[in-house]
Amino acid sequence: MESLLPWLALKSVPGIGDLLSKRLIDRYRSPEHVFTAPRKELLEVPGMTPALAARLSTHKVSDTLKREIDRAIQKNFHILTLKAPQYPALLRELPDPPLFLYCCGELDGEAACLAVVGSRNATAYGLSNTRKLCAELAAYGLTVVSGMARGIDTAAHEGALSGGGRTVAVLGSGLERIYPRENRKLFDQIAENGAVISEFYLSEEPLPHHFPKRNRIIAGMSLGTVIVEAARKSGSLITARLAAEQGREVFAVPGSIQSQKSAGTHALIKQGAKLVEHAGDILEEIGPRVGVEISPEIQRKKAARPEHGRPSKSLDPDASKVLAALEPYPTHIDDLVRKLAMDPGKLAGILLQLELTGTVKQMPGKQFIRCNG
């Protein structure tokens, strides 16, 4: 069994970041050989300085690192090094991958992964579309990767789980610091049907500078990244940029042109990101690379999906009028009364009828949305 201590020791050397660590491992194959390499030889590695070479030769392994490994073992967490077969193969290709990952659950290093990320303060439209999209992707055998944050990230994991598939959460904190706290149950569900991973020490807090580093892992282990509801200044756009820089696909789910929450998403589409309306749009790009074909069934389902605003033939005329007036974005009941010139009591009864059939959903504040077909 591979010794983990030298890996943690290499990470702990001041000034030796992920980029230089990867160069050292590429040359010497193991951290043990890095620590015993002649100083003159070390200086041949790009980025190495005399001061850093001196630190490597004199670095002492602290008892804290030994306790860290013991605690991970006690909690049944795995520590996967760059050389471990479970380490994501695509992530290993980056010039600055983490030296090792803490893992709760089971990680498949060769899995076909797709990242899905977006706004923490998402709309019902964004959450609904994300769950449906990720359920479809999971049904095709893709592993959905996200950051377990509130909003779109949470919906992405939930959708993959509901589709009977696997999902991976990448944290911006240590595995002992679940963030956000209300996702404790989701953490356990993901670990049972995939993995929760982190490059940070077990007890590290979710500090702001951790999340850009976390995002490079989300993008780096995935064939492509899907952005849902991102404002112009959004952490999700960092993930999209990283994916593009890494030569991976970038996808974007469009939203309302009146919503600032989709302004960043629309900007990505203008810049060349592929517009996504359904799982088939993604599979057209990455399906051939992973041996996945779009089934005739999903094509038929997509073709049969009713267009927005087209009333169903099974509804009475008044219910059809109400359904046609609703959108995937919340509309207040008072606005519907004015728009339809309908008696409030009658409208409330029709909305209840549509809610019971799952066609309409009521949101807080007496606002209603049309559910996607």
Side-chain angles (χ1 to χ4, degrees), residues 141-160:
L142 293 174
T143 296
V144 174
V145 180
S146 197
M148 212 178 80
R150 296 183 181 94
I152 296 300
D153 288 21
T154 291
H157 295 303
E158 291 173 344

Side-chain angles (χ1 to χ4, degrees), residues 111-113 136-143 165-166 292:
C113 296
E136 291 178 350
L137 293 169
Y140 273 94
L142 293 174
T143 296
R166 291 176 60 81
V292 174

Side-chain angles (χ1 to χ4, degrees), residues 9-10 12-17 20 34-35 37 39 42-43 48-61:
L10 181 57
S12 70
V13 178
I16 305 289
L20 185 51
V34 171
F35 283 115
R39 192 174 301 187
L42 286 170
L43 291 174
M48 182 61 68
T49 65
L52 290 176
R55 286 178 195 169
L56 279 170
S57 61
T58 59
H59 188 66
K60 304 294 183 183
V61 178

Side-chain angles (χ1 to χ4, degrees), residues 111-134:
C113 296
L114 188 77
V116 181
V117 296
S119 174
R120 285 175 167 79
N121 187 24
T123 67
Y125 165 85
L127 296 173
S128 174
N129 276 325
T130 300
R131 291 190 184 99
K132 180 172 295 186
L133 177 66
C134 291

